[in-house]
Amino acid sequence: MTLVRPRRVGALIGGRPRDGRPRDGCAPPGAAEAELTPVRTVPSTNPARLDDVVAEVELAGPETILAAAVAARDAQRTWADVPAPVRGSVIGNLGRLVADNAAALARLVTREIGKPAAEARGEVQEIIDTCEFFRGEGRRLYGETVPSEMPDKQLFTFREPVGVMMVITAGNFPVAVPSWYIVPALLAGDTVVWKPAEYAAACAQALVELMAAAGVPAGAVNLVPADGAATSLGLERALAAGVVDKVGFTGSTEVGRFIGALCGRYLQSPCLELGGKNPMVVAPDADLDAAVEAAVFAGFGTAGQRCTSLGTAIVHESVHAEFVRRLDAAVSAAVVGDPTRDVLYGPLLDARFAAGFADHLDLIRDHHRIFGSTAVGRITSAGFGTSAGSSTPLTPAGPGRWPGGPRRGFVGDPDSGLYYHPVVLDGVRPDDEVFREETFGPIIGVTTYRSLDEAIDLANLPGYGLSSSIYTGDAASAFRFRRGVRAGMVSVNSSTSGAEAHLPFGGNGRSGNGSRQSGRWVLDQVTRWQSMNWDYSGRLQKAQLDTAVPPADLSFRLSDP
Ligand code: UN1
């Protein structure tokens, strides 16, 4: 049963819906209007209530992506001519509108991707924080005055907008992460083509509506729902046509590699925010209760579907048994279920992610000890011959088929949604795939270490490098870990997830190409430096050649006193 008539979400280009009806205007050269007709329509469903269709999403073809980029290009100069402090005021108004619509937007996030209500409110707050930061940046956006080596000459730097930014985002943070790209891009004078996740398209449409209400002009942000194949083809055409100047992508390492290679062919370096296998080191002197609380939040918040989610807890062997005992108790007692209620986590994002997670459960090996739950796999109301709360044998029924079963304390109707048991795997080894690969779901590993150097090596071994954490009371260990770990983000006595909106966010290695989002650091993604030198001497002064440095006697030494 559908609760409310589903919205239709389709491409929005130059402020106008593209539904295939003929219009003049934004077809790119060579593209007939008919080519902009959606190629197919897919439902976006509530993962907590699979009979609730949130939106009918019209997926665009590659020509529509090109048309959106052309529209963004057409709008860019005019938008860049708006003074930066005024663009900042538009961003400020967006922040106010998001705040005034926070409850409705958070409810939509919960309904469309199953994020628990409290976390959804936090996600919306992250947009407000981002707008607050960049509203002020409109009054800064500083360049510099730089001294020249010649008299009567002055040097300057200016930040110039990159032009058109194509933003391609995942659906686990369907509105906050897109705002990390779109808000600074707009502030800088760029215009945007946004390709959201198909399963989070209603959230995307709502954010675009708020942007329009805030005074973002038509054409400055263009929305194009599309599948992966159409997106890559459309992006390639837009790059070839010279109408996309920068790509911002949040998603898997595999797709990030593809986008990086594609952009590289056009001499562009995208802003890539990719996966993570984020380690948490628990030192012998750690506050174990605090470490367990953080592991539960980082491992199972958003059902483990954050880029910053905990991958493996790397625990000193002297505290391992006690850490595991407390973690087992905490995960077993955690409330899972209906995301509109007070739960640790709700359903997985959509059917594709649920299937991917079920596949990852195949990485469990005989040498792993499984704890934190009474079953592995789908949470159901009825077990396979077991009653709620009793033990289901923790063995798979075959590849990709853990039997699942009921979960004690589950809130709501497990059969209505994509709910999965939390899994904690003890005894994980460095050559296990589950140690090396991102698993994107409610599963964490536990392994042990003896020396801090070993812990750092283990933390770096999977080759990602997004977030990391250490629990210790020792400042030297904290600083040594910070220096040794190859992660873009390091937490001391705090979770791997839950970064604040104004610190540099991003990773290295398999987690990204070193680009950073958030705070003033993202300005280097959405602007380019232009330098200017201005000679007012009335003659040509040649750098290096005409630079007069007074003669020096470099053999001079002070006499011994
Ligand atoms: C993501 O998963 O892509 O630090 C972003 C965090 C959130 C953002 C996660 N503020 O966990």
Side-chain angles (χ1 to χ4, degrees):
M1 176 203 60
T2 293
L3 302 176
V4 183
R5 203 162 153 264
R7 328 168 154 225
R8 278 194 97 71
V9 183
L12 191 75
I13 300 177
R16 297 182 308 168
R18 307 302 309 179
D19 48 15
R21 276 178 287 138
R23 287 184 188 85
D24 298 332
C26 48
E33 288 277 343
E35 287 182 319
L36 306 186
T37 308
V39 289
R40 70 195 160 97
T41 301
V42 293
S44 171
T45 43
N46 179 344
R49 306 188 52 160
L50 295 169
D51 56 359
D52 174 24
V53 177
V54 181
E56 296 288 354
V57 186
E58 297 170 350
L59 300 182
E63 292 306 325
T64 308
I65 292 172
L66 179 57
V70 169
R73 170 67 86 224
D74 289 348
Q76 197 262 326
R77 194 31 58 203
T78 311
W79 175 241
D81 285 345
V82 174
V86 178
R87 295 197 301 262
S89 297
V90 172
I91 296 302
N93 286 336
L94 174 62
R96 285 178 61 171
L97 275 167
V98 173
D100 290 347
N101 288 275
L105 188 56
R107 276 198 299 274
L108 183 58
V109 168
T110 297
R111 183 172 167 222
E112 192 169 32
I113 59 136
K115 186 171 283 198
E119 278 193 58
R121 284 194 297 273
E123 159 145 20
V124 171
Q125 185 60 43
E126 212 158 326
I127 311 175
I128 299 165
D129 296 346
T130 299
C131 290
E132 199 170 281
F133 183 89
F134 284 103
R135 180 179 66 132
E137 205 53 43
R139 292 193 181 269
R140 288 182 290 269
L141 215 60
Y142 297 139
E144 294 134 330
T145 58
V146 180
S148 167
E149 62 194 43
M150 285 163 288
D152 292 337
K153 192 169 180 182
Q154 181 63 54
L155 311 181
F156 304 87
T157 65
F158 296 84
R159 278 194 186 277
E160 279 297 302
V162 287
V164 174
M165 187 169 195
M166 173 129 187
V167 175
I168 304 169
T169 49
N172 59 338
F173 276 80
V175 284
V177 167
S179 81
W180 293 359
Y181 293 106
I182 298 172
V183 167
L186 289 174
L187 186 277
D190 298 321
T191 52
V192 172
V193 176
W194 179 18
K195 202 300 277 183
E198 302 92 298
Y199 59 90
C203 290
Q205 188 188 55
L207 187 58
V208 169
E209 283 170 1
L210 288 167
M211 288 179 189
V216 173
V221 173
N222 304 277
L223 182 71
V224 190
D227 65 18
T231 303
S232 59
L233 215 56
L235 173 60
E236 175 143 31
R237 287 190 193 159
L239 286 166
V243 287
V244 162
D245 305 290
K246 183 86 185 180
V247 177
F249 170 72
T250 296
S252 70
T253 302
E254 189 193 352
V255 177
R257 263 189 235 283
F258 172 82
I259 288 180
L262 182 58
C263 291
R265 289 218 291 275
Y266 295 91
L267 305 181
Q268 291 190 23
S269 72
C271 181
L272 299 176
E273 201 260 275
L274 310 178
K277 189 74 193 175
N278 307 295
M280 174 188 283
V281 171
V282 182
D285 62 347
D287 175 338
L288 287 190
D289 284 333
V292 164
E293 188 185 0
V296 170
F297 173 65
F300 302 103
T302 322
Q305 300 167 113
R306 294 187 187 213
C307 305
T308 53
S309 290
L310 172 61
T312 307
I314 302 168
V315 185
H316 192 265
E317 57 181 12
S318 65
V319 291
H320 167 255
E322 185 56 19
F323 176 80
V324 164
R325 193 186 66 73
R326 295 190 203 183
L327 183 61
D328 184 24
V331 176
S332 300
V335 179
V336 176
D338 180 351
T340 63
R341 302 188 33 201
D342 186 14
V343 294
L344 175 62
Y345 71 88
L348 298 196
L349 295 167
D350 84 338
R352 193 163 54 90
F353 284 89
F357 180 65
D359 285 348
H360 280 127
L361 294 175
D362 283 348
L363 303 180
I364 300 173
R365 297 283 171 264
D366 287 346
H367 61 266
H368 295 147
R369 195 165 69 85
I370 306 172
F371 61 88
S373 203
T374 47
V376 176
R378 194 92 177 244
I379 301 176
T380 58
S381 56
F384 288 70
T386 62
S387 60
S390 70
S391 292
T392 303
L394 296 179
T395 46
R401 279 182 294 119
W402 282 83
R407 177 171 172 86
R408 192 184 298 119
F410 185 91
V411 171
D413 173 9
D415 300 329
S416 70
L418 302 167
Y419 296 103
Y420 281 77
H421 285 276
V423 181
V424 183
L425 296 180
D426 191 19
V428 164
R429 298 174 186 162
D431 52 359
D432 288 344
E433 236 183 301
V434 77
F435 179 84
R436 291 176 176 258
E437 299 300 323
E438 184 181 38
T439 40
F440 220 69
I443 182 169
I444 61 173
V446 180
T447 194
T448 55
Y449 75 94
R450 287 186 182 159
S451 70
L452 185 60
D453 282 347
E454 189 193 353
I456 292 169
D457 286 347
L458 287 169
N460 289 332
L461 199 61
Y464 290 87
L466 187 62
S467 186
S468 62
S469 152
I470 183 167
Y471 269 77
T472 181
D474 175 40
S477 300
F479 277 106
R480 282 190 191 117
F481 178 73
R482 181 208 67 71
R483 195 155 170 267
V485 75
R486 287 193 298 269
M489 298 178 283
V490 183
S491 291
V492 179
N493 297 329
S494 186
S495 156
T496 53
S497 60
E500 296 183 39
H502 56 289
L503 255 195
F505 187 103
N508 309 317
R510 296 169 78 191
S511 296
N513 56 354
S515 52
R516 294 291 180 266
Q517 296 175 276
S518 294
R520 63 186 166 84
W521 299 273
V522 75
L523 291 176
D524 290 332
Q525 299 297 320
V526 294
T527 62
R528 290 196 180 126
W529 284 110
Q530 184 183 57
S531 66
M532 183 169 96
N533 71 76
W534 186 333
D535 195 323
Y536 51 94
S537 67
R539 61 190 194 283
L540 177 64
Q541 303 188 85
K542 301 187 213 71
Q544 295 94 40
L545 308 186
D546 295 339
T547 307
V549 179
D553 174 8
L554 296 178
S555 63
F556 174 80
R557 299 289 178 274
L558 291 173
S559 53
D560 252 340

